[in-house]
Amino acid sequence: MARRSGDYSVHIDCGGLVNSSDAFHTAWLSDRFYSGGATSVVSEPLLFLHQQEKTLRYFPISSGKKNCYSIPTPAPEGRFFFRTFNVYDNFDGKSHSPSFDVSVEGTLVFSWRSPWPESVSRSGAYSDLFFYHNDSAIDVCFYSIATDPPVVASLELTQIDPQAYPFDYAKNSTNYILVNYGRFSSGSDQWGPGFSNDTDFFSRSWQSDAEFRQPAVSTPNGAEIKSISATKPIAKVELSPNYFPEKLYQTAVVAQGDEGGILEYEMPVDAKLDYLLWFHFAEIDVSVTKAGQRVFDVIVNEENVSRVDVFDKVGAFAAYDFSYVAKNLSNTVLTVRLVSVMGAPIICGLENYAIVPVDLKTVPDQVCEKAAVVTAMKALKESLRVPDRMGWNGDPCAPTTWDAWEGVTCHSLKDEALVVSQIQIEVPNGMLKLPFLDLGSQGLKGYISDKIGLLTNLVSLNLSSNSLVGEIPSGLGQKSLVKLDLSDNKFTGYIPDSLTSASLLLVLLNDNLLEGRVPEELYSIGVHGGAIDLSANKGLCGVPSLPECSLLWGKHGLSTGGKVAIGISCLVVVSALVFGIYYCVVWRRRNDYDFGLPHELTSLAAKRNRYHRQKSLMALEMESQHAKGFIPTYNVS
């Protein structure tokens, strides 16, 4: 089903504290979805028309070399238009515009290098691209170069028709990002979102062609460059999959001259990339539609790529488009020339996109499957309590040259093998490794998430000299694992059997709180040329240099026999305890109250009772006599 702007779009006011709406009724969200950084405002807010252009988010080096926005998307996959607005305007008072890189899903798309052009530094610039995505969130990351803090004012994401901007290329277009290197509308000023309220379903903004046109090529031949406007509605516009707006075809530029006119444009590019050019034409000159034809050649970098007969192809007042891929550019200027064959050449607009290959490490069918790796690394960041200064944000498979995930090395290897500690690991052509996590002595105080098992190609893990707790997860036993250093922590529990299936040559588990029987297969590492240290643990046993294990002790703590023996013992103790309680509470209580006295004891009790009664009568008689004043005397012999 065709998609156009409005199905899903999000506009983020970077640095903005509240939701807002601009003069063109675009809803802007307050700043969100970021991983770090701080907020600021431009030095001279009155120079900017919109609120979202005045507020900023910047990322100092204390937030890490890499900081990201992770923008959620409603669909599992689709094609998207993405746009940023960047401005410096001396917001930090240092009069030094920053240098930094920007990536989308791990692929480098924009590079800002100091010094920025004065107009851009002061007034800002919009940059945009098209890309394909198949995840629940889109990571847009900013990479510090040296100590420069990246800065961004706004981010916009719009879901578009999945077939938008198709082009003939060696691979499917989903393997490429189209980065805009210039987009102009002829015969008009800049328009579109951010500049005017003219509608573009994809949120594209269109510059004036005057910024790219080279008038000196035409005027020496006596040609005259004229801007013309349509007098009637334009047909075949705003159609799927590209939804080019009618306004694009309502103005045009022509080059009229007795010797044939020429229109020439120069567009800045980067060498060594291929570029997709999208041409837009419409016959809107009434005099031409009545008089006859308009035919001209389109020449790109001295190569004639097409002959265009606008009136013959579509007739009057109708849009016509075609695309062309310019390959193997060797310079930084792409030249487009329209040369008259019959009548004056005409153009309504032109778009130029660099065809940027999606970075190998972000392609899901590679060994480094992005979804699994991102899930694992995000879980580890949380469980290990990785500090912000280490910059664990966004896609961990981003280019390693940025060094943005401190302690993480992601390798892309082709036609070669990976050699670690004298062991050779074969790597299929074009496949990737995410092999090394080196986080020793970083003050970590968490635990190892069981999601580490998703790093199926982990080669080396060093978490030594931290304060990590919990058990060693059973998922930590990848076949590729060669080095494991968990020494000097507070790990508890037993050593998982899964480690015996790894290719370990170095195992350091010393100075922890581990216990239980050590798997013999793991200890044999030392016998086969590797190294293993299990010393200074709570209760490891069963291999040389460690105590013998009790007969009741197995690999995972108590053996099955030990558990049965302890179970029987507990049953005996509980039974004895129940019997004792029954004897004391039930049996003895019944004997205390329900037995008959022997005859001798009954007789003795009766005599004792008679004696007490006689003694009581004598006492009463004495009290009576005492009351009368007579005290009897008893002769006691």
Side-chain angles (χ1 to χ4, degrees), residues 36-172:
T39 61
S40 187
V41 294
V42 294
S43 297
E44 299 183 58
L46 295 179
L47 293 176
F48 297 86
L49 179 63
H50 309 298
Q51 179 62 33
Q52 69 271 10
E53 297 175 340
K54 303 176 184 181
T55 58
L56 306 171
R57 176 163 292 276
Y58 67 98
F59 305 98
I61 196 66
S62 59
S63 297
K65 290 186 177 181
K66 173 182 179 181
N67 287 272
C68 303
Y69 277 81
S70 186
I71 306 173
T73 57
E77 61 180 335
R79 197 161 178 81
F80 291 86
F81 173 79
F82 175 72
R83 187 165 80 147
T84 67
F85 180 73
N86 293 85
V87 64
Y88 175 60
D89 194 40
N90 199 28
F91 77 94
D92 55 4
K94 297 181 178 180
S95 300
H96 173 70
S97 54
S99 297
F100 60 92
D101 290 336
V102 183
S103 76
V104 171
E105 292 298 292
T107 299
L108 175 64
V109 291
F110 305 132
S111 291
W112 292 86
R113 292 296 181 268
S114 185
W116 299 7
E118 178 61 25
S119 60
V120 173
S121 177
R122 184 173 175 80
S123 302
Y126 284 94
S127 306
D128 61 64
L129 53 85
F130 295 98
F131 70 103
Y132 176 82
H133 181 65
N134 61 350
D135 202 353
S136 60
I138 293 173
D139 288 331
V140 180
C141 297
F142 300 83
Y143 300 86
S144 298
I145 296 177
T147 59
D148 287 343
V151 61
V152 61
S154 70
L155 301 173
E156 299 174 75
L157 184 69
T158 301
Q159 190 170 9
I160 62 174
D161 191 300
Q163 301 302 319
Y165 289 91
F167 57 97
D168 184 17
Y169 215 59
K171 292 184 179 179
N172 191 292

Side-chain angles (χ1 to χ4, degrees), residues 321-456:
D321 310 285
F322 82 89
S323 62
Y324 171 76
V325 175
K327 299 182 178 181
N328 302 319
L329 299 188
S330 58
N331 53 45
T332 59
V333 175
L334 188 151
T335 302
V336 175
R337 182 178 297 175
L338 279 60
V339 180
S340 172
V341 175
M342 181 182 299
I346 185 173
I347 187 169
C348 292
L350 175 63
E351 300 174 83
N352 182 32
Y353 296 97
I355 304 174
V356 179
V358 171
D359 193 277
L360 176 67
K361 291 174 283 299
T362 67
V363 178
D365 59 0
Q366 299 300 322
V367 174
C368 177
E369 296 184 3
K370 183 186 171 190
V373 171
V374 171
T375 298
M377 297 306 289
K378 286 182 177 179
L380 285 174
K381 177 182 180 180
E382 181 177 352
S383 71
L384 296 174
R385 301 181 188 176
V386 175
D388 290 342
R389 61 178 169 78
M390 298 183 71
W392 280 36
N393 300 305
D395 180 5
C397 288
T400 56
T401 53
W402 283 317
D403 190 26
W405 281 60
E406 187 174 340
V408 180
T409 306
C410 191
H411 288 275
S412 178
L413 304 174
K414 295 182 179 180
D415 303 316
E416 58 183 89
L418 179 66
V419 180
V420 180
S421 298
Q422 288 75 52
I423 186 171
Q424 180 168 298
I425 300 176
E426 296 297 332
V427 181
N429 292 351
M431 288 192 174
L432 164 114
K433 287 283 183 181
L434 180 99
F436 301 107
L437 298 182
D438 187 358
L439 303 172
S441 303
Q442 294 293 343
L444 307 180
K445 296 182 179 180
Y447 62 95
I448 303 177
S449 169
D450 56 7
K451 291 289 196 303
I452 196 170
L454 296 175
L455 300 179
T456 55

